[in-house]
Amino acid sequence: MRNGLRGWGGGGRPEGVEVGKTRTRGLRRTYSRVVPGASRRVLVVDDNKVIRQLIKVNLELEGFEVVTANDGAECLDVVHHVCPDVITLDVVMPRLDGFGTAARLRADPRTRDVPLAMVSACTQHEVEAGITARVDAFLTKPFEPAELVRVVRRLVERRDRREREGAPAGSGRG
């Protein structure tokens, strides 16, 4: 099942881990509307200013509130003030990479259940290391903006559903 959730049986990934594989297709308008009432907050962590801005603009156009951080160390400095619903992480960053950031977020009781999406080249090594760090989703660079929004929405919906059911957002992954 491409771009979807897979269990161990079908795709070699644990239940709840998502890998989106898309390629950017030229310049075209992706969104034509702004969703009113932004209520979900996403913390975007990437050392590349252009990528941060691309992710920020596309999520804001879909109604998300977006806060950015330049690297993993800055993410850890601001995460408790920001209280994000989802965090997107680049892998290769100065000071603290995406895997180290994910591990520290998972080790902290205040952030261990915040859904994490790794936005990177998504090599087999990166996916395996991300699974070990309990990353919830992977989005391959270059990515389609619509796929980014879909992955973030799915993580928010999954978190909401688990909160309604009384289970932590990061639990239940087989």
Side-chain angles (χ1 to χ4, degrees):
M1 182 159 104
R2 188 170 180 251
N3 292 336
L5 301 178
R6 303 187 212 190
W8 278 111
R13 298 191 201 325
E15 186 67 32
V17 173
E18 184 169 331
V19 178
K21 292 188 177 186
T22 61
R23 295 290 180 247
T24 302
R25 295 182 195 107
L27 295 175
R28 69 171 204 233
R29 187 172 181 136
T30 306
Y31 304 106
S32 59
R33 63 185 170 83
V34 175
V35 177
S39 61
R40 296 303 186 168
R41 185 174 297 145
V42 180
L43 176 55
V44 174
V45 186
D46 198 305
D47 62 320
N48 183 312
K49 183 178 181 179
V50 173
I51 298 295
R52 271 194 324 270
Q53 190 63 21
L54 174 68
I55 294 171
K56 178 179 168 58
V57 166
N58 282 284
L59 291 174
E60 285 178 342
L61 284 171
E62 290 298 319
F64 292 96
E65 179 183 346
V66 180
V67 178
T68 63
N70 295 316
D71 58 33
E74 185 177 351
C75 169
L76 296 176
D77 288 342
V78 302
V79 70
H80 301 298
H81 302 290
V82 172
C83 301
D85 295 294
V86 173
I87 299 172
T88 69
L89 293 169
D90 184 21
V91 171
V92 179
M93 296 182 288
R95 297 197 300 166
L96 184 61
D97 70 9
F99 302 123
T101 305
R104 290 187 188 186
L105 290 166
R106 293 299 188 225
D108 185 333
R110 298 171 293 176
T111 57
R112 80 170 124 222
D113 298 320
V114 176
L116 303 176
M118 194 67 71
V119 182
S120 74
C122 290
T123 65
Q124 184 64 31
H125 167 74
E126 288 177 347
V127 170
E128 289 170 4
I131 289 169
T132 299
R134 293 181 44 222
V135 170
D136 299 286
F138 298 86
L139 188 64
T140 304
K141 286 181 183 176
F143 57 86
E144 279 290 335
E147 181 70 6
L148 165 75
V149 171
R150 187 192 69 76
V151 167
V152 170
R153 275 203 179 120
R154 177 149 314 164
L155 291 174
V156 166
E157 290 167 3
R158 187 185 308 162
R159 180 180 178 148
D160 288 349
R161 187 172 49 253
R162 288 193 176 129
E163 285 177 355
R164 282 191 308 271
E165 295 168 358
S171 68
R173 255 205 262 151

